[in-house]
Amino acid sequence: MAAISTSEERDEGGDLLLWVLVWGELAAFGILLTGYVVMSMLHPENFALAKLHLAPRLAGFNTVVLLASSWQAALAASSQGKPRRQRLFLLGAAFLGFLFVALKFAEYSSEWTAAGDENLQTFFELYFLITGFHLAHVAFVATLFVLAAIRLERSTIVTLTTIWHVIDIVWLVMFPLIYLS
Amino acid sequence: MDDSKLFGSANWIMMLGIVGALIAAQWKHEVIPAAALAVILVMTIAKIRLIVLDFMDLRGMRPNLARALMIWPIFFSALSLSKVVLATLL
């Protein structure tokens, strides 16, 4: 056994870790979304009533913001060897990520009052848990984008952009499931 | 992937995102019809496919991984649609 691993071996190890992280995220959100679907089938009237307090228009706009952010992240990952461009795209992705967070908080502020209703409590508990968990991911990775823009490193950028795309995919699934169906 | 191809994919993704958001915005405080939801879900799958293949750069690289990544959104989209169809029928 070699005492020191080669850079290729390290890359494979990093790649494996990245995909373990990706599938871990998808599994976690999958469990939460399944729980949401089960509860919505057990309490269909309350869930339908609670959804009237949501803001699908703002959420739809937020979807476009997150998609634009994902594009910036993809451009950053494909701009290897061009540090100025890469920084710009990483900061663009981070800015749009923070915009998503700000819009989501604006959305929460209008929904917060309805959450106190006893009949709607189950829906709002799950809603804040799922969207809040997603929001925490967005805020955290957007912050990491800013740090990655300060210290450019290929593997870090690839990892962050891949996780960002997964966060985007989760939102794309979450939007019709929670807001529309 | 070069910038022009990425730009092309991004255009499609953004367009699908905007159209999906506009369709969803037509029913603010009403239940969205199953047909409209089906259209939005098909567009969601199309967006995710482009993200997986082009943004994540998996086109022609890791077909099995790309396919596996697509199963997750397809499963939840199907669940979402079947929930609405069942609610309409019952």
Side-chain angles (χ1 to χ4, degrees):
Chain A
M1 195 172 99
I4 302 166
S5 61
T6 62
S7 61
E8 201 175 312
E9 281 170 335
R10 276 197 301 271
D11 278 348
E12 280 178 10
D15 196 43
L16 177 68
L17 202 64
L18 168 66
W19 289 107
V20 167
L21 189 64
V22 164
W23 285 106
E25 292 291 341
L26 290 177
F29 278 103
I31 291 165
L32 286 171
L33 291 175
T34 306
Y36 173 85
V37 171
V38 170
M39 290 308 284
S40 71
M41 284 173 160
L42 292 175
H43 308 279
E45 290 87 11
N46 290 349
F47 271 56
L49 200 63
K51 276 182 190 184
L52 298 177
H53 297 280
L54 299 183
R57 287 177 185 176
L58 194 54
F61 180 70
N62 239 352
T63 303
V64 178
V65 170
L66 205 57
L67 287 172
S69 174
S70 221
W71 176 32
Q72 295 295 298
L75 283 168
S78 71
S79 302
Q80 294 299 329
K82 297 168 190 164
R84 210 178 120 82
R85 255 172 71 95
Q86 211 165 23
R87 274 199 184 96
L88 201 69
F89 289 135
L90 282 172
L91 292 175
F95 170 76
L96 289 165
F98 288 127
L99 179 63
F100 178 92
V101 174
L103 289 171
K104 195 73 199 144
F105 273 116
E107 200 189 319
Y108 278 161
S109 66
S110 65
E111 293 156 356
W112 195 251
T113 45
D117 190 321
E118 206 175 300
N119 293 325
L120 312 180
Q121 231 165 11
T122 312
F123 171 83
F124 277 107
E125 273 171 10
L126 278 169
Y127 170 76
F128 286 122
L129 177 71
I130 298 170
T131 58
F133 188 45
H134 179 265
L135 191 65
H137 277 79
V138 174
F140 181 62
V141 181
T143 308
L144 293 181
F145 272 145
V146 176
L147 297 177
I150 296 166
R151 194 176 163 176
L152 295 174
E153 204 174 291
R154 190 185 178 279
S155 60
T156 309
I157 293 167
V158 169
T159 304
L160 288 180
T161 52
T162 305
I163 295 294
W164 196 247
H165 298 316
V166 171
I167 292 171
D168 197 7
I169 289 170
V170 168
W171 175 259
L172 289 176
V173 170
M174 205 190 277
F175 173 61
L177 190 67
I178 292 181
Y179 289 85
L180 308 178
S181 73
Chain B
M1 171 171 268
D2 65 70
D3 280 2
S4 62
K5 280 184 183 169
L6 205 56
F7 184 71
S9 281
N11 265 340
W12 276 107
I13 292 170
M14 296 299 288
M15 197 183 74
L16 288 167
I18 291 167
V19 172
L22 286 174
I23 294 173
Q26 304 307 308
W27 291 272
K28 199 187 175 191
H29 289 303
E30 301 156 75
V31 177
I32 188 165
L37 184 69
V39 171
I40 291 171
L41 291 173
V42 167
M43 289 198 298
T44 299
I45 299 294
K47 271 179 279 183
I48 293 173
R49 187 174 177 271
L50 287 170
I51 288 171
V52 168
L53 293 179
D54 296 334
F55 282 10
M56 292 172 102
D57 210 10
L58 293 176
R59 192 181 286 276
M61 305 273 278
R62 290 167 163 180
N64 290 337
L65 182 61
R67 250 178 253 131
L69 275 172
M70 286 303 299
I71 290 171
W72 192 88
I74 289 171
F75 172 75
F76 283 103
S77 298
L79 201 65
S80 191
L81 186 63
S82 53
K83 204 168 77 109
V84 171
V85 170
L86 275 176
T88 313
L89 293 175
L90 297 177

